[in-house]
Amino acid sequence: MPKAYGSVEVYRTHMLNGVRVAAAQSLGAQLSACTIMFQVGSRLERDNQVGASHFVRAMSGCSGHAYSLVGKARVLQQRGCYLTCSSDRQTIAFTLRCPLPHFHDLKYFLIDTATRCCFHEWEVTDIKPFIKDNLLRMGCEQRAVDLVQKAFWAGPLHQSIFCDEVRVDSMSSANLKDFVTNFTPSNCTVTSCGIPFEDTLKLAESLHLQCVHDVCCEQEHMFSFPRGGYECHDLGSGSDTCVAAALLGCGTQDLCCLMKHSILAVTWDMLFSQLRERALDRIVRDKTPLGCQTDELYTTYKPFSISYMETGIFGVLAKSHSSNINKVANTAAQLLANVDKLSVEHIACGKKRLKLNLALNEENCVNVSESLGLQMASKIHIDGPLNAYCVIDSIPNEEVLQLAKDIVSRNLKRINIATALNTLKECKNPPKYVTKEGIFNNCKSITFSPRSIGFEIEDKPNISRVKQDPVSYIPIINPRSILPIIDTNWRKDEIGLPAIQQEEKQAVRLIVIRRKKMKKHQRNKLWKRMRHRWARVKKRRRQIKEKIFQNELLAMVKAANEFSAEQYVASKIERANHTPLPTRWRHKRLPAFIIRQLLGIDKKINYKHTDVYKA
């Protein structure tokens, strides 16, 4: 049965093999999207498959059983279409975005990518440098959210959606093929936006998925439980620092509780943005110099709510400079502990902001298609923004406030935030009070080691500021002033100081140097005056060369269009059967036309003296 999805109609059905199908037919949409989603994420990775979901996401455009990597990329680029893959700890989604007339030709690319990827060993080897580069270019916010989930969960949800750098080299094609066996019909969902329901149903019927009973039973008994812990990662010097603190949230099975957590997160996000704007206005109003501005302008707080099938987390993500991160971490923990300090007016504004976000999300066909897949997988039917607005309006503001109080009372009693924050505190030495004499007598020097954050304090050696030469100064004295004249022979062998003389300077090379400098000056003036004219001449030459080249290409294209295979074959056969004309007649070299007459090929010509040519 169709259901209204804002300005579209949604059709849903369940196939006999377990595949769930949904289609949202938008009115007048320019682009359409189709998604094949599997309820298989990093939580289903075994010991030898840790990081396989990251490789599957990165190798979504590689060769399949029907199409190669180059073939798919060339056709998609020519038609302006996109084939993407996104994943999290619970799902992997393959989405094709294209105009509706091209869907019938490109849907086979989507099927080949989602269910028939080959995972050749050489392609796995070639993708490993890209995986390592992806890990290096990961943003600090994305890494912090991934680490806080890794620290919060005990169980399958503990596994990250990114492959560890130490496991990249050990990943093989066999591990990826073993992980893809989890793609079964029972956890498959096919959804579309802007595509007719019949075409979506035909695409779902063309999927050839094998159901493994052991895998299905294993997926039903994999649960995760919350725990207390922390994770950290060093991004190097000069990088921004992020701190995330999280509490237990809710899953996607309870729609009402999920909406309450969303309202709570959007409300706190709105309040954080207002605090940041006030700090910016205060800095502009007080005309604070750039070097004296506080870190409030560079610090951002963002609440987040992440939900999975049966559970979820609710937390705060803070980003600031590394010098101020200890204070920011304590502030984030205090905000999380005081999440219930809201009013009814704040909740009402948060509902309006959430409605606006849902309306903006409806404009993207890819988001609509993937959200339908999540709804079908979670067995909830929101059917678009209009029904979501009704669910949001039906929730009283008092219940949202009560949920915030329950989050604080339920979680903060079990989690000791102060203990976790002690791991982030800076190592500060206690202050040491000395007298003024001690300040000058016992100076300390701080030396920093490059490419590290450690430093050491050592005694400064007592060295004078005046640097002395290693060899003492010995003045040169005229021997005549200190030695008596004892013998006249000594005066003959005397070696004294050279006499002070005015050496004559000759300007032999002066005129040569002057001419070189003058030529350089005139050359610079010439270039300054003629630069644009010469540039126009060179440009004209390039244009003429380009026109000649284009004409040659057009001539080649014209020759190729006029090519006839029949004429080519006939000319080849004629050339093969052709008998060459002899160049000699009775051992004498004669012209070709005379030889043709003598052979009887051409008619004989009556000459002036005789009609018979005597050779």
Side-chain angles (χ1 to χ4, degrees):
M1 293 296 293
K3 296 184 180 180
Y5 189 93
S7 60
V8 302
E9 293 182 353
V10 178
Y11 295 83
R12 289 186 173 89
T13 186
H14 290 262
M15 300 179 63
L16 296 178
N17 59 353
V19 179
R20 295 175 287 272
V21 184
Q25 297 183 5
S26 59
L27 301 179
Q30 299 295 330
L31 294 175
S32 59
C34 184
T35 302
I36 299 178
M37 181 178 293
F38 296 96
Q39 300 301 308
V40 179
S42 60
R43 64 185 303 177
L44 295 182
E45 296 174 351
R46 302 185 186 92
D47 294 337
N48 59 341
Q49 302 171 0
V50 175
S53 60
H54 191 183
F55 274 82
V56 171
R57 183 171 67 250
M59 298 182 65
S60 58
C62 292
S63 302
H65 289 279
Y67 303 96
S68 63
L69 168 63
V70 180
K72 289 189 287 187
R74 182 178 66 252
V75 175
L76 290 174
Q77 289 179 2
Q78 289 176 352
R79 304 194 180 187
C81 306
Y82 296 92
L83 182 58
T84 59
C85 177
S86 59
S87 66
D88 53 17
R89 280 172 163 78
Q90 182 170 316
T91 61
I92 294 180
F94 301 89
T95 304
L96 171 66
R97 192 190 75 170
C98 64
L100 182 58
H102 296 164
F103 175 73
H104 298 282
D105 299 332
L106 301 180
K107 65 180 180 181
Y108 302 104
F109 289 173
L110 178 62
I111 298 173
D112 187 69
T113 301
T115 61
R116 303 173 186 172
C117 193
C118 295
F119 299 109
H120 296 297
E121 193 65 39
W122 61 84
E123 291 182 343
V124 176
T125 305
D126 294 341
I127 207 67
K128 288 179 180 179
F130 174 78
I131 296 291
K132 295 180 180 179
D133 184 64
N134 192 10
L135 295 175
L136 293 176
R137 291 185 290 105
M138 191 192 313
C140 61
E141 296 182 359
Q142 187 178 11
R143 190 182 294 274
V145 173
D146 184 71
L147 288 177
V148 73
Q149 297 182 70
K150 189 175 182 180
F152 188 82
W153 298 115
L157 288 177
H158 170 79
Q159 298 173 170
S160 173
I161 62 176
F162 299 99
C163 181
D164 293 337
E165 190 173 0
V166 296
R167 289 180 174 267
V168 172
D169 296 330
S170 61
M171 186 62 64
S172 62
S173 177
N175 296 336
L176 296 177
K177 292 179 180 179
D178 191 16
F179 175 75
V180 171
T181 56
N182 296 319
F183 292 179
T184 58
S186 60
N187 57 24
C188 178
T189 304
V190 180
T191 57
S192 64
C193 177
I195 298 174
F197 178 70
E198 293 78 8
D199 296 340
T200 308
L201 193 61
K202 290 180 181 178
L203 186 143
E205 291 175 353
S206 61
L207 297 178
H208 300 285
L209 301 174
Q210 297 179 358
C211 181
V212 183
H213 181 70
D214 297 338
V215 175
C216 298
C217 296
E218 184 181 357
Q219 294 176 3
E220 296 177 357
H221 296 86
M222 299 181 68
F223 297 100
S224 299
F225 304 94
R227 65 168 184 174
Y230 67 92
E231 294 282 344
C232 60
H233 183 82
D234 186 11
L235 293 177
S237 60
S239 303
D240 293 333
T241 306
C242 289
V243 173
L247 301 174
L248 183 63
C250 70
T252 57
Q253 296 178 350
D254 191 353
L255 178 59
C256 184
C257 186
L258 179 63
M259 284 296 180
K260 292 178 183 178
H261 280 80
S262 301
I263 294 171
L264 196 61
V266 172
T267 303
W268 273 107
D269 189 13
M270 181 182 61
L271 294 178
F272 291 156
S273 61
Q274 292 178 0
L275 292 176
R276 181 177 174 82
E277 291 177 358
R278 291 174 186 174
L280 181 60
D281 293 340
R282 184 169 62 255
I283 291 174
V284 174
R285 182 180 66 252
D286 299 341
K287 297 181 180 180
T288 308
L290 185 63
C292 301
Q293 292 178 3
T294 59
D295 290 331
E296 296 179 359
L297 183 63
Y298 306 101
T299 303
T300 57
Y301 298 93
K302 181 184 294 184
F304 61 89
S305 178
I306 303 175
S307 299
Y308 297 104
M309 187 70 68
E310 71 281 356
T311 183
I313 62 173
F314 179 86
V316 177
L317 176 66
K319 180 180 179 181
S320 180
H321 293 166
S322 58
S323 59
N324 195 40
I325 198 60
N326 190 33
K327 178 182 176 182
V328 172
N330 285 278
T331 305
Q334 293 176 5
L335 292 173
L336 195 60
N338 298 322
V339 73
D340 57 338
K341 300 300 187 295
L342 293 174
S343 61
V344 179
E345 292 78 8
H346 295 156
I347 300 298
C349 295
K351 288 183 177 180
K352 296 179 181 179
R353 180 63 64 88
L354 181 58
K355 292 179 181 178
L356 178 61
N357 295 340
L358 291 175
L360 294 176
N361 186 53
E362 186 187 6
E363 298 179 355
N364 193 344
C365 60
V366 176
N367 294 340
V368 173
S369 179
E370 292 183 355
S371 63
L372 279 178
L374 291 174
Q375 293 176 31
M376 294 292 291
S378 304
K379 300 179 181 179
I380 58 176
H381 296 168
I382 300 178
D383 293 335
L386 295 181
N387 291 348
Y389 296 163
C390 297
V391 175
I392 293 173
D393 294 334
S394 64
I395 299 175
N397 298 337
E398 291 76 10
E399 292 186 5
V400 180
L401 293 176
Q402 185 61 34
L403 174 65
K405 295 179 181 179
D406 294 342
I407 290 176
V408 175
S409 62
R410 183 177 66 247
N411 293 279
L412 295 183
K413 289 182 180 180
R414 295 184 302 166
I415 300 176
N416 188 2
I417 296 181
T419 304
L421 289 176
N422 286 335
T423 60
L424 300 174
K425 288 185 177 180
E426 300 174 351
C427 298
K428 297 182 178 179
N429 295 328
K432 186 176 181 180
Y433 301 98
V434 295
T435 60
K436 292 185 178 181
E437 292 78 4
I439 294 177
F440 295 97
N441 295 334
N442 300 322
C443 297
K444 303 289 183 178
S445 63
I446 302 177
T447 59
F448 291 90
S449 176
R451 299 184 180 272
S452 67
I453 59 173
F455 62 91
E456 59 180 356
I457 301 177
E458 59 184 5
D459 294 335
K460 185 175 181 180
N462 188 11
I463 302 175
S464 176
R465 289 180 177 271
V466 180
K467 295 184 179 180
Q468 297 182 357
D469 297 333
V471 181
S472 59
Y473 176 70
I474 302 176
I476 299 176
I477 305 175
N478 194 342
R480 295 180 181 180
S481 60
I482 59 175
L483 294 178
I485 300 176
I486 300 175
D487 190 4
T488 57
N489 295 328
W490 178 85
R491 189 178 298 179
K492 297 178 181 179
D493 301 332
E494 177 185 3
I495 301 176
L497 295 177
I500 300 175
Q501 298 178 358
Q502 293 290 340
E503 296 183 357
E504 182 182 359
K505 295 182 180 180
Q506 298 181 0
V508 179
R509 295 277 303 172
L510 185 61
I511 187 65
V512 179
I513 296 173
R514 183 179 179 278
R515 286 176 180 173
K516 290 180 63 176
K517 290 184 177 181
M518 199 62 191
K519 288 181 180 179
K520 181 179 179 181
H521 171 66
Q522 292 176 354
R523 186 167 59 251
N524 292 338
K525 287 180 62 178
L526 180 63
W527 267 102
K528 186 176 181 181
R529 184 175 67 254
M530 303 292 292
R531 179 181 291 109
H532 299 288
R533 182 177 300 179
W534 290 344
R536 289 194 297 269
V537 172
K538 290 183 179 180
K539 182 180 178 181
R540 182 177 178 83
R541 291 175 182 172
R542 288 196 298 268
Q543 290 177 353
I544 294 174
K545 290 181 180 179
E546 183 65 24
K547 288 182 180 180
I548 295 173
F549 177 70
Q550 292 293 339
N551 293 333
E552 292 177 356
L553 289 181
L554 292 176
M556 294 171 63
V557 172
K558 185 177 179 180
N561 293 332
E562 294 177 354
F563 175 76
S564 176
E566 297 177 354
Q567 296 179 1
Y568 178 77
V569 173
S571 63
K572 287 291 184 181
I573 295 174
E574 182 182 359
R575 185 176 179 181
N577 297 332
H578 174 69
T579 302
L581 190 69
T583 60
R584 295 178 180 272
W585 178 261
R586 294 180 181 178
H587 307 288
K588 291 184 179 181
R589 185 180 296 275
L590 297 176
F593 70 94
I594 295 178
I595 294 178
R596 293 175 64 89
Q597 294 177 11
L598 294 174
L599 291 175
I601 299 174
D602 295 339
K603 185 179 179 181
K604 292 184 179 181
I605 302 174
N606 294 326
Y607 294 97
K608 183 177 180 180
H609 300 288
T610 177
D611 56 349
V612 178
Y613 180 79
K614 295 180 180 180

